[in-house]
């Protein structure tokens, strides 16, 4: 009984992730899928969110195709920003090809998830901008990949410094790197969130990767990218459901793949139940109905680790901090190592976060006090 209630709670939280959107934001997000009327609200009401969510290319295409009026100032700003996104995507694609070349030369198999592989299913691809390329390597190749890229000048951001060096391999799914010219590449050894993606492992994805196409990179198949996107909804920047392009990605991929192949792959990795909940979270008018119907034709796998998923999608991690969300995403042994290392971080980590001089116990006590104040203030009622 408790297990059924837990699964229901997790499913309800998954289906409740889709955020409320303004009329212009919704119209831009679903351009080409729905045919909304011209919003009566001013564009400026939604423009900040549209720009922050990388929807500018979609908005500009919508206005051009539907003949919706834009002021000269609005059009100029939108065209500049759309060009910026196109430039960033081109730069990211070039950086991804360069890094893949380095890995290939070292005998390290790798493939690209998300980004270019998803954009290939947009028409045209520039409607789906991206600022980095996500590379997947086998866990046993991760440390060697990181050493290789470090020699080439790729570094993680100082803000992402971890309590111990082992965190990158055992307490995270991957690392965001910046190259010597500012190019950005993410190297993953697992698909996030790790605890739920273990059947969607690197070895199987690399084995299914397709030969380089127009992007010049090996891409995981659309069926796998669909599942990667459905999983990514939960973990993107620890703000479940807030990244609107991921919702569009799910619809774009769900409408592009062969429903039978997509469902077979989802059932193989036991994410068919997860995928159904994500599709049901979407507004009814944009759901990939053929895929959803095929999913509902047969028995569905229950949500794995439903109790943990319900907690991950609850307000609790936001109150306890990003480290709690990180631990909830990991298999149990890795979560234990994560929490232990976070509780007793290295001295170099403490000193980087608090440059003031002091012995380890002093640095630790100051950090613990700051963390406690942060947690306590987040639980205090507002208003």
């Amino acid at each position: 009984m408790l297990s059924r209630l837990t699964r229901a709670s997790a499913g309800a939280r998954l289906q409740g992730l889709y955020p409320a959107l303004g009329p212009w934001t919704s119209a831009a997000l679903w351009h080409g899928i729905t045919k909304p009327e011209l919003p009566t609200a001013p564009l400026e009401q939604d423009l900040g969110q549209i720009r922050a969510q990388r929807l500018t290319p979609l908005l500009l295409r919508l206005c051009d195709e539907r003949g919706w009026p834009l002021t000269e100032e609005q059009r100029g700003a939108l065209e500049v920003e759309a060009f910026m996104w196109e430039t960033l995507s081109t730069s990211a694609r070039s950086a991804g090809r360069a890094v893949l070349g380095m890995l290939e030369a070292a005998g390290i198999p790798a493939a690209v998830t998300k980004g270019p592989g998803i954009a290939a299913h947009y028409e045209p691809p520039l409607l789906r901008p991206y600022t980095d390329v996500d590379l997947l390597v086998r866990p046993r190749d991760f440390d060697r990949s990181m050493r290789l890229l470090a020699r080439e000048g790729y570094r993680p951001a100082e803000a992402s410094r971890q309590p111990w060096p082992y965190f990158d391999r055992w307490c995270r799914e991957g690392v965001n790197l910046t190259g010597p010219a500012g190019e950005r590449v993410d190297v993953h050894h697992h698909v996030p969130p790790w605890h739920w993606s273990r059947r969607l492992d690197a070895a199987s994805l690399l084995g299914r990767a397709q030969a380089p196409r127009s992007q010049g990179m090996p891409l995981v198949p659309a069926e796998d990218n669909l599942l990667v996107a459905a999983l990514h909804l939960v973990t993107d920047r620890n703000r479940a459901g807030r990244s609107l392009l991921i919702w569009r990605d799910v619809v774009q991929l769900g409408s592009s793949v062969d429903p039978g192949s997509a469902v077979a792959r989802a059932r193989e990795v036991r994410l068919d139940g997860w995928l159904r909940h994500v599709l049901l979270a979407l507004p009814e008018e944009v759901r990939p109905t053929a895929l959803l119907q095929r999913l509902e034709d047969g028995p569905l796998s229950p949500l794995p680790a439903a109790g943990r998923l319900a907690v991950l999608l609850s307000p609790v991690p936001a109150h306890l901090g990003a480290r709690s969300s990180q631990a909830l995403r990991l298999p149990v042994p890795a979560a234990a190592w994560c929490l232990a290392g976070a509780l007793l971080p290295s001295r170099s980590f403490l000193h980087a976060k608090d440059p003031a001089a002091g012995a380890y116990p002093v640095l630790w006590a100051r950090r613990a006090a700051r963390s406690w104040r942060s947690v306590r203030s987040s639980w205090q009622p507002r208003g």
Side-chain angles (χ1 to χ4, degrees):
M1 178 66 170
L2 180 59
S3 176
R4 286 199 298 273
L5 288 174
T6 302
R7 285 198 297 270
S9 173
R13 289 188 185 280
L14 261 181
Q15 292 185 33
L17 286 181
Y18 187 77
L21 303 179
W24 282 94
T25 304
S26 181
L29 179 64
W30 302 121
H31 166 57
I33 296 173
T34 62
K35 294 184 178 180
E37 297 296 325
L38 175 65
T40 56
L43 172 59
E44 286 74 13
Q45 176 178 298
D46 286 4
L47 196 53
Q49 184 179 38
I50 288 170
R51 298 178 67 182
Q53 294 279 353
R54 293 178 286 164
L55 301 180
T56 307
L58 280 165
L59 174 63
L60 191 59
R61 183 60 60 97
L62 167 68
C63 292
D64 285 347
E65 291 188 3
R66 300 295 300 277
W68 287 4
L70 293 170
T71 67
E72 185 176 338
E73 182 180 359
Q74 288 171 339
R75 173 168 291 281
L78 289 174
E79 288 177 346
V80 167
E81 189 155 335
F83 178 73
M84 177 199 72
W85 286 123
E86 184 177 358
T87 301
L88 288 172
S89 299
T90 301
S91 175
R93 195 160 55 246
S94 176
R97 283 197 295 263
V99 171
L100 280 165
M102 296 176 203
L103 295 175
E104 182 181 4
I108 300 174
V112 177
T113 66
K114 300 187 298 182
I118 295 176
H121 294 274
Y122 282 67
E123 185 54 48
L126 59 84
L127 295 180
R128 205 297 186 179
Y130 47 93
T131 58
D132 54 31
V133 169
D134 291 86
L135 304 181
L136 184 68
V137 300
R138 295 174 301 189
R140 68 173 181 265
D141 292 328
F142 176 74
D143 288 338
R144 190 156 66 100
S145 301
M146 295 297 289
R147 290 194 296 271
L148 169 65
L149 293 177
R151 289 197 298 270
E152 299 294 332
Y154 285 81
R155 298 283 186 272
E158 181 61 30
S160 67
R161 176 191 287 262
Q162 298 298 303
W164 292 96
Y166 72 79
F167 265 54
D168 288 341
R169 170 61 183 88
W170 296 104
C171 300
R172 311 168 75 193
E173 296 93 350
V175 178
N176 306 332
L177 300 174
T178 301
E183 60 272 44
R184 294 169 57 190
V185 175
D186 297 351
V187 181
H188 292 267
H189 49 80
H190 283 84
V191 172
W194 184 345
H195 188 69
W196 287 272
S197 71
R198 283 178 289 178
R199 293 180 180 274
L200 201 67
D201 61 285
S204 69
L205 290 176
L206 292 177
R208 290 167 52 81
Q210 300 167 340
R213 295 190 290 179
S214 59
Q215 290 85 359
M217 295 177 281
L219 309 173
V220 303
E223 294 87 353
D224 293 303
N225 251 339
L226 172 62
L227 298 174
V228 170
L231 288 165
H232 192 46
L233 273 170
V234 166
T235 56
D236 186 60
R237 299 185 180 92
N238 294 321
R239 299 168 68 245
R242 302 289 184 85
S243 292
L244 300 183
L245 265 183
I246 304 178
W247 290 106
R248 172 74 189 225
D249 291 344
V250 168
V251 172
Q252 202 74 36
L253 291 167
S255 302
S256 303
V257 297
D258 173 70
S261 300
V263 171
R265 179 59 172 158
R267 287 189 172 138
E268 180 185 353
V269 296
R270 299 186 185 177
L271 289 172
D272 48 322
W274 182 296
L275 180 58
R276 177 180 177 272
H277 282 297
V278 168
L279 296 182
L280 290 176
L282 288 158
E284 187 173 358
E285 64 271 18
V286 304
R287 292 173 188 163
T289 53
L291 177 59
L292 187 56
Q293 287 170 358
R294 184 62 68 92
L295 276 169
E296 294 177 336
D297 280 346
L300 292 166
S301 306
L303 284 172
R308 185 194 287 220
L309 179 61
V311 175
L312 180 63
L313 297 178
S314 76
V316 171
H319 288 305
L320 295 180
R323 194 69 69 190
S324 65
S325 177
Q326 183 178 346
L328 284 166
R329 289 156 44 173
L330 300 172
V332 172
W337 276 104
C338 173
L339 293 175
L343 181 63
L344 292 172
S346 66
R347 190 185 188 285
S348 62
F349 174 81
L350 289 175
H351 185 70
K353 298 295 181 180
D354 183 0
Y360 182 90
V362 175
L363 294 172
W364 184 92
R366 283 206 292 258
R367 179 171 175 79
R370 289 196 301 271
S371 298
W372 169 245
R373 287 195 297 269
S374 176
V375 170
R376 187 176 60 181
S377 66
S378 72
W379 281 101
Q380 290 176 347
R382 289 174 170 80

